[in-house]
Amino acid sequence: MPIGLFPAPADETEQLTQLRHMVRAFLQREREAGSYTPWVDTWLTRWDTDFTKKLADQGWLGMTIPTEHGGHGKTFLERFVVTEELLAGGAPLAAHWVADRQIAPSFLKYGTDHQKQTYLPRIAAGDVSFGIGMSEPDSGSDLASVKTKGVRASGGWQITGTKVWTSGAHHADRFIVLARTEALDTSDRHAGLSQFIVDLKDPAVDVNVITSMNGSQHFNEVVLNSVFVPDDHVFGTIGNGWEQVTSELSYERSGPERVLSTYPLLEKGLASPHRRAFLPHLARVVSLRTMSFGIANALARGETPDTAAAIVKVLGTKLEGDIAETADRVRLDGFEDLNSMVSASVLQRPGFTLRGGTTEILDGIIARQLGLR
């Protein structure tokens, strides 16, 4: 039975524990071979196609995609365990993250047979990468106010507008764009929205890299200059974009990346002379991990735990930022080699509470779903 608002947590089986140890052993071998250096927020900031291919070779991409679509037919809980270990190990995950986390399950739910055959085997093989085309310069978490337009054309649609904060668009192959295909109805702002699969290499698409304060480059502005999208690349149903986006955001908001983005830093802090300062954060990680694991179990049952996912996202990103703040305060004396990781965590912290929906917007969503507003 559910516990309050949250799906009941599931016990970890022996099979899941064995899988967890397999991933840990793999990561240890990769670190010893110099394949990667553990870092924070790696699902957003560390794009490494070679590492992604190694994960594909292990069968750890497209895990929940059915075998008939080129995946591995594993459970959400198996994928959850693999994802937890990769995040906790600070591995570079950005090259496949969006495609594996939310695009693949969205294709399974809303995609046509042609789209499933085209993209799902390539996602599982690490051969195609995706971005998310939701936010706009004047439409962040308020997606109902998007101004990107889709206009009917012969054999398809012309898409015009600008998306922003599109992670990895300068590397990615495709992204799924939310556009308005009908005039805004002020009595139902969520109506008239649709989604399209857009080729980021199309000449009518301009990708402008946004350089962060620390010099890193993972965000982008994407300008759609009346780019043509054929009918077979309409995603889902025209006019059903809001329902589809809401479903997609359940995957984006509930995963362990909303809890473990700064876990490598927490782990180092717990091994430092300042261990006591980090212990409360460890307790919060354990609690939020239980919540997130329960949501993964609910998704496996075909449920859509939107409210629980939003709550985990709000609490989890607050925790990630607090870990960074604690590490910055104590500066891990005796662990000076980690100061660059601390600095990176502090710089990333403002983004924790923005991506996937700002805390303020999510607070409103949670209140409305609980009947409080």
Side-chain angles (χ1 to χ4, degrees), residues 301-352:
R301 296 191 297 267
E303 300 172 14
T304 306
D306 293 340
T307 304
I311 292 172
V312 166
K313 197 276 182 184
V314 169
L315 296 177
T317 52
K318 175 68 165 61
L319 166 63
E320 291 176 329
D322 289 348
I323 291 171
E325 182 178 303
T326 299
D328 186 45
R329 186 177 71 250
V330 302
R331 274 290 161 173
L332 299 180
D333 297 339
F335 289 71
E336 284 76 9
D337 58 323
L338 291 174
N339 281 344
S340 57
M341 187 188 292
V342 174
S343 297
S345 299
V346 172
L347 286 172
Q348 289 297 111
R349 182 183 184 180
F352 294 163

Side-chain angles (χ1 to χ4, degrees), residues 245-300:
V245 163
T246 301
S247 173
E248 183 181 333
L249 286 172
S250 292
Y251 297 102
E252 182 175 351
R253 290 172 176 165
S254 65
E257 73 274 18
R258 301 306 180 185
V259 180
L260 300 175
S261 292
T262 53
Y263 184 85
L265 192 58
L266 172 62
E267 191 173 66
K268 297 298 183 183
L270 291 169
S272 78
H274 299 284
R275 180 173 182 271
R276 290 176 63 88
F278 291 91
L279 284 175
H281 302 321
L282 177 61
R284 292 163 67 189
V285 166
V286 172
S287 297
L288 283 166
R289 186 264 177 190
T290 299
M291 295 178 187
S292 192
F293 197 61
I295 292 172
N297 209 22
L299 291 171

Side-chain angles (χ1 to χ4, degrees), residues 200-213:
L200 284 164
K201 311 304 181 187
D202 191 294
V205 177
D206 294 324
V207 179
N208 304 315
V209 178
I210 298 173
T211 302
S212 301
M213 292 173 62

Side-chain angles (χ1 to χ4, degrees), residues 6 19 23 50 56 60 75 83 107 115 128 155 175 197 211 274 278 301 308 320 368 373:
F6 285 87
L19 176 60
V23 181
D50 290 338
W60 294 336
T75 67
T83 302
F107 271 130
Q115 290 166 358
V128 65
F175 78 150
I197 305 167
T211 302
H274 299 284
F278 291 91
R301 296 191 297 267
E320 291 176 329
R368 184 168 61 250
R373 58 173 291 189

Side-chain angles (χ1 to χ4, degrees), residues 129-306:
S129 53
F130 275 82
I132 303 170
M134 293 186 189
S135 295
E136 297 185 0
D138 297 316
S139 302
S141 295
D142 181 15
L143 294 178
S145 66
V146 297
K147 294 182 174 60
T148 295
K149 292 184 178 180
V151 178
R152 200 72 175 92
S154 178
W157 296 77
Q158 300 290 152
I159 311 299
T160 303
T162 300
K163 297 296 179 178
V164 76
W165 314 123
T166 308
S167 303
H170 55 314
H171 297 304
D173 302 299
R174 304 283 190 276
F175 78 150
I176 294 184
V177 172
L178 180 68
R180 182 159 291 285
T181 50
E182 297 178 16
L184 176 65
D185 179 355
T186 55
S187 65
D188 184 1
R189 298 172 66 243
H190 298 148
L193 295 170
S194 306
Q195 288 185 293
F196 302 87
I197 305 167
V198 175
D199 184 351
L200 284 164
K201 311 304 181 187
D202 191 294
V205 177
D206 294 324
V207 179
N208 304 315
V209 178
I210 298 173
T211 302
S212 301
M213 292 173 62
N214 63 351
S216 64
Q217 296 181 333
H218 48 267
F219 289 129
N220 299 270
E221 174 193 65
V222 183
V223 182
L224 307 165
N225 301 294
S226 192
V227 60
F228 178 75
V229 178
D231 283 329
D232 64 3
H233 273 58
V234 170
F235 185 65
T237 304
I238 292 296
N240 197 45
W242 183 257
E243 177 187 321
Q244 294 170 194
V245 163
T246 301
S247 173
E248 183 181 333
L249 286 172
S250 292
Y251 297 102
E252 182 175 351
R253 290 172 176 165
S254 65
E257 73 274 18
R258 301 306 180 185
V259 180
L260 300 175
S261 292
T262 53
Y263 184 85
L265 192 58
L266 172 62
E267 191 173 66
K268 297 298 183 183
L270 291 169
S272 78
H274 299 284
R275 180 173 182 271
R276 290 176 63 88
F278 291 91
L279 284 175
H281 302 321
L282 177 61
R284 292 163 67 189
V285 166
V286 172
S287 297
L288 283 166
R289 186 264 177 190
T290 299
M291 295 178 187
S292 192
F293 197 61
I295 292 172
N297 209 22
L299 291 171
R301 296 191 297 267
E303 300 172 14
T304 306
D306 293 340

